[in-house]
Amino acid sequence: MPTGNPLLVEIQERIKAAGAISFCEFMALALYTPQWGYYNRPQIQIGQRGDFITASSLTRDFAELLTEAFVQMWHALERPQRFTLLEMGAGEGQFADVVLNYSQATYPDFFAALEYQIQEQSPSLRERQRQRLGPWGDRLCWRGSDTPAAPITGCIFSNEVVDAFPVHRLQWQGGNWQEIYVSLNSEGALQEVLRPLRDDRIHEYFATVGIDPQRQGYSDGYRTEVNLNLIPWLKDLSQRLERGFVLTIDYGYPAQQYYHPARCEGTLQCYYQHRYHNNPYCFVGEQDITAHVDVTALTRYGEKFGLETLYVTRQSLFLMALGLGDRLLAQQQGNGHLLQALNRHQSLHQLIDPLGLGGFYVVLQGKQATLELPPLEAGDQALPFTGMGNSP
Ligand SMILES: C[S@@+](CC[C@H](N)C(=O)[O-])C[C@H]1O[C@@H](n2cnc3c(N)ncnc32)[C@H](O)[C@@H]1O
């Protein structure tokens, strides 16, 4: 039995005590065990020097363009004296830093009203954020998930957070779902076992997103994931929001595409040193494990909890509507340092690459609030969202 990895040893001990643990529990332990879980290790890094890049870590243009949206939200709410921007899962804190800097320089009235809050589950990343963002003083504060929060007027924002929630993994077998559990083989290594599905919340989930698994024609061995953790998360966000918006950006699919019979391996992906694969049982605690987000679940559960779906679109179109095209043009006409100009040009293109970050979904929900965005490109008929997709 390997002994070099304390997290693996801890997981093996848990499994020995229980016989087997659900994949969801395994993923939660691999990502969030204090000190050793992937996101809670002191050495966690997001961006070029870590295992994966996010839009926030790629270029400041992302946060600057999103600031344009936050300013529009502030106007849509009739310029309240305090506009709270609560960022969930702020990673290295770059996004917050750019939003505060750019607002201060470009929109002083908005900046005067802006109160930035961060909710971050990882103590290591919270510490990193404190170092970067300390100079902002009382402009910014951290909230715990259990802190009773004052009702928010403003926006609750997240980028690539929901895909990091632990998911249940299911396998279709003999006309029914089985749940994937993790146990130990005779040599003590992690192995998957199937157990009958006992969690009624999963049946309710499929009913909510409009999928009847019995009519999907799944073959034996078909695998997929269900993110039940997004349900209490959305409920909590909605309860905290008095008036304003929830803006969620992540990779995913509408339910019809997510649970399409052809997507027979599911969407689980692991990231290790800028390479990705689908084996969650290696590099335990040293690699990120993610699953795509079911965009229909975000909107349907949001509606259940009082969040109106305002827009569902792709990041490329959203950022173009916020002025990314103008930035590209200005950048091409500029005469700055050649290498910097090339890098920025490449980053701007990465933000809108339809096969990469540009294909991410942007979900905007509102509570007693609505927002007129500049017209998005023709063909972006996900607005208003129907929840129907074409193919995987
Ligand atoms: C993939 S990283 C994205 C970081 C950042 N948003 C970015 O775009 O670079 C996921 C972040 O979400 C945080 N996170 C995961 N689950 C969370 C939760 N339930 N509440 C708050 N933060 C969470 C992680 O610790 C990490 O900071």
Side-chain angles (χ1 to χ4, degrees), residues 31-32 38-40 44 46-47 52-58 62 87-95 119-123 125 129 145 157-166 233 251 288 290:
L31 295 184
Y32 301 114
Y38 180 76
Y39 279 106
N40 289 345
I44 169 81
I46 297 170
F52 55 88
I53 288 173
T54 61
S56 323
S57 60
L58 179 67
F62 179 66
E87 184 181 357
M88 309 292 289
E92 303 270 352
Q94 295 117 316
F95 185 87
Q119 184 169 312
E120 171 58 64
Q121 66 73 39
S122 159
L125 287 171
Q129 293 159 11
S145 53
F157 168 74
S158 68
N159 182 56
E160 291 203 45
V161 175
V162 183
D163 70 80
F165 290 175
W233 186 71
Y251 43 92
D288 193 16
T290 81

Side-chain angles (χ1 to χ4, degrees), residues 49 87 115 132 170-171 203 208 257 268 271 326 352:
R49 284 179 298 161
E87 184 181 357
E115 178 200 55
R132 183 188 294 265
L170 307 179
Q171 181 164 320
H203 299 298
T208 301
Q257 289 180 30
L268 198 88
Y271 291 84
D326 298 340
I352 51 172

Side-chain angles (χ1 to χ4, degrees), residues 1-15 26 29-30 33 36 182 184 188-190 280-285:
M1 183 190 300
T3 52
N5 180 335
L7 176 59
L8 184 57
V9 172
E10 182 168 325
I11 291 175
Q12 286 164 326
E13 292 304 321
R14 289 257 188 142
I15 294 175
F26 167 78
L29 291 167
T33 297
W36 294 317
V182 184
L184 302 178
L190 302 174
Y281 308 114
C282 58
F283 307 121
V284 175

Side-chain angles (χ1 to χ4, degrees), residues 31-209:
L31 295 184
Y32 301 114
T33 297
Q35 193 183 343
W36 294 317
Y38 180 76
Y39 279 106
N40 289 345
R41 296 174 310 156
Q43 61 272 42
I44 169 81
Q45 286 198 325
I46 297 170
Q48 204 65 51
R49 284 179 298 161
D51 295 298
F52 55 88
I53 288 173
T54 61
S56 323
S57 60
L58 179 67
T59 163
R60 53 184 301 119
D61 286 289
F62 179 66
E64 290 185 358
L65 287 164
L66 267 288
T67 306
E68 304 288 346
F70 301 139
V71 172
Q72 290 179 35
M73 292 176 193
W74 178 59
H75 282 285
L77 294 171
E78 293 165 342
R79 299 163 56 107
Q81 271 192 342
R82 177 185 291 184
F83 180 93
T84 301
L85 180 53
L86 168 58
E87 184 181 357
M88 309 292 289
E92 303 270 352
Q94 295 117 316
F95 185 87
D97 201 26
V98 176
V99 169
L100 286 160
N101 265 306
Y102 185 68
S103 310
Q104 188 177 39
T106 317
Y107 297 105
D109 292 351
F110 170 68
F111 180 72
L114 179 61
E115 178 200 55
Y116 210 107
Q117 297 182 358
I118 290 178
Q119 184 169 312
E120 171 58 64
Q121 66 73 39
S122 159
S124 308
L125 287 171
R126 268 203 308 272
E127 187 45 40
R128 203 82 57 75
Q129 293 159 11
R130 283 210 166 87
Q131 282 167 14
R132 183 188 294 265
L133 301 167
W136 289 106
D138 58 10
R139 264 327 171 94
L140 183 138
C141 66
W142 281 262
R143 306 212 77 95
S145 53
D146 47 357
T147 330
I152 289 174
T153 295
C155 176
I156 303 178
F157 168 74
S158 68
N159 182 56
E160 291 203 45
V161 175
V162 183
D163 70 80
F165 290 175
V167 291
H168 290 263
R169 286 186 94 192
L170 307 179
Q171 181 164 320
W172 191 255
Q173 216 59 44
N176 279 304
W177 289 125
Q178 301 265 308
E179 183 166 356
I180 297 174
Y181 273 66
V182 184
S183 75
L184 302 178
N185 68 16
S186 55
E187 271 130 45
L190 302 174
Q191 68 171 10
E192 292 184 343
V193 288
L194 296 180
R195 295 236 168 130
L197 178 63
R198 296 224 170 76
D199 193 336
D200 284 342
R201 293 176 305 164
I202 290 180
H203 299 298
E204 284 162 26
Y205 179 98
F206 280 115
T208 301
V209 301

Side-chain angles (χ1 to χ4, degrees), residues 221-237:
Y222 176 91
R223 287 179 161 212
T224 193
E225 301 85 32
V226 169
N227 186 340
L228 292 181
N229 283 308
L230 70 73
I231 304 171
W233 186 71
L234 271 174
K235 187 175 182 185
D236 175 54
L237 299 194

